[in-house]
Amino acid sequence: MNKDGKLIVILPADNITLNKRPATGIKAVKRSGIKGYELWTFGSVSPAARKFIQESGWKLKQQIGKEIGFIVQGK
């Protein structure tokens, strides 16, 4: 959680698709009462997953490796 109490989840995945596992986790956090959440990924998110994540109230940041200080090979 950041200093403002927002939950930030960082996933070091190349590509995230919508399936039962992430959908269940996203819904569980929403029910937890936390006031704000972000999903940061090292890779990309499929259009269906992006839509679900954003409609669930999450802020989405993709390809954040360089932003948080990781060296991204091939870029």
Side-chain angles (χ1 to χ4, degrees):
M1 296 187 92
N2 69 7
K3 65 181 181 201
D4 300 322
K6 185 181 292 184
L7 176 68
I8 298 175
V9 177
I10 301 175
L11 293 177
D14 293 329
N15 187 34
I16 297 171
T17 59
L18 183 59
N19 61 57
K20 186 176 181 178
R21 189 172 193 177
T24 301
I26 287 168
K27 288 177 184 177
V29 170
K30 186 152 177 108
R31 289 189 305 265
S32 72
I34 294 171
K35 302 292 183 199
Y37 11 82
E38 297 182 10
L39 177 62
W40 296 9
T41 69
F42 277 60
S44 60
V45 175
S46 74
R50 182 182 316 110
K51 182 178 178 189
F52 179 80
I53 291 164
Q54 292 172 334
E55 287 178 352
S56 295
W58 287 65
K59 181 177 177 185
L60 177 63
K61 293 176 77 171
Q62 299 178 74
Q63 301 175 342
I64 54 96
K66 287 183 181 178
E67 184 177 334
I68 64 171
F70 282 80
I71 297 171
V72 181
Q73 294 183 349
K75 301 275 179 178

